[in-house]
Amino acid sequence: MRSRSVLDNDVKEVLVSEEEIDEIVTRIAAEIDRDYSKMEGKLLLLCILKGSVVFMGDLMKKISLPVEIDFMKVSSYGHGTVSNGKPTIVLDLHRPDLSDCNVLIVEDVVDSGRTLKYLTEYLTIKGARSIRTVTMLDKPSRRAVEFTTDYCGRVIPDEFVVGYGLDYAEKYRELSYIGILRPEVYTHKK
Ligand code: PRP
């Protein structure tokens, strides 16, 4: 366990501990190994920046199969906590041919579902051999479009969570656990 951060004081409650995260990533990596060992083609882990970078790093180390990695950034939020609902590609995937790639999109959290729905459609048009999705966290109560991930770490309630890659105003991403942010922090009453 890393030493306590000053940021811990802004966390109301630990939702997923560092130990639980490790168990979750181990389980998901085993599921991925089991499923993809039967598939033809390479496994491409596609990290959706920035929030997924910590999960991606842990997951790729626990998957036994050979993987390639790539990155995209899709922006769908305005300022604050409310989605404006329009995904825009900020950083694209620069691979000329995806026909040999089983793309596994790696997300930290699924909220409205718009990002993953959009990316799945986009990668289908780009000719990926197969497309699946994995998320550390899922907030099904927030769904605006129908979307179900193939692999999921933990279903969580509609709370403002930070840590393990997830931020509020670009802070808290480095926390080794996932915690619920104190409301005073984002309502600026603190
Ligand atoms: C978050 C998250 C997903 C997306 C999920 O990214 O990492 O990519 O929102 O939301 P949706 O299901 O409503 O589409 P964010 O835009 O906060 O960027 P970040 O990862 O760089 O913090």
Side-chain angles (χ1 to χ4, degrees):
M1 185 86 179
R2 55 188 274 179
S3 59
R4 281 179 65 84
S5 159
V6 289
L7 299 176
D8 290 339
N9 298 329
D10 291 344
V11 173
K12 185 175 77 172
E13 178 189 328
V14 175
L15 194 60
V16 192
S17 70
E18 193 171 355
E19 291 74 20
E20 288 173 308
I21 288 171
D22 188 65
E23 287 170 16
I24 288 168
V25 180
T26 301
R27 171 186 49 89
I28 292 176
E31 291 171 5
I32 291 167
D33 277 334
R34 178 198 65 205
D35 295 349
Y36 282 86
S37 61
K38 300 171 200 145
M39 289 190 201
E40 297 280 328
K42 63 177 81 163
L43 171 54
L44 175 63
L45 300 180
L46 180 58
C47 175
I48 308 307
L49 297 170
K50 302 174 191 173
S52 309
V53 73
V54 185
F55 178 40
M56 171 85 161
D58 283 351
L59 186 63
M60 65 186 283
K61 287 187 287 184
K62 294 212 179 202
I63 293 173
S64 302
L65 295 169
V67 300
E68 293 187 11
I69 63 169
D70 232 314
F71 299 86
M72 283 184 76
K73 181 158 177 57
V74 182
S75 170
S76 57
Y77 286 85
H79 296 293
T81 59
V82 182
S83 168
N84 66 14
K86 270 174 52 188
T88 309
I89 293 177
V90 180
L91 174 70
D92 204 352
L93 179 68
H94 294 291
R95 288 194 180 228
D97 184 17
L98 291 176
S99 60
D100 192 37
C101 292
N102 296 301
V103 181
L104 179 57
I105 307 173
V106 181
E107 269 289 23
D108 52 344
V109 62
V110 185
D111 195 332
S112 72
R114 287 190 179 100
T115 302
L116 282 181
K117 187 170 194 298
Y118 174 76
L119 281 173
T120 303
E121 289 165 1
Y122 179 75
L123 292 163
T124 301
I125 292 165
K126 296 263 275 186
R129 183 181 185 96
S130 72
I131 304 157
R132 288 189 183 181
T133 56
V134 55
T135 188
M136 169 52 77
L137 301 176
D138 191 359
K139 289 182 179 175
S141 62
R142 295 268 301 172
R143 238 13 142 261
V145 297
E146 207 173 303
F147 196 90
T148 306
T149 60
D150 297 286
Y151 307 95
C152 174
R154 178 72 70 83
V155 173
I156 61 165
D158 184 16
E159 298 276 6
F160 202 115
V161 288
V162 293
Y164 200 63
L166 292 123
D167 75 311
Y168 168 63
E170 297 300 332
K171 288 172 69 180
Y172 309 101
R173 293 192 196 273
E174 70 269 45
L175 295 178
S176 56
Y177 59 88
I178 297 162
I180 300 173
L181 196 59
R182 291 187 187 281
E184 309 92 270
V185 177
Y186 53 87
T187 52
H188 303 291
K189 286 178 191 156
K190 195 176 171 230

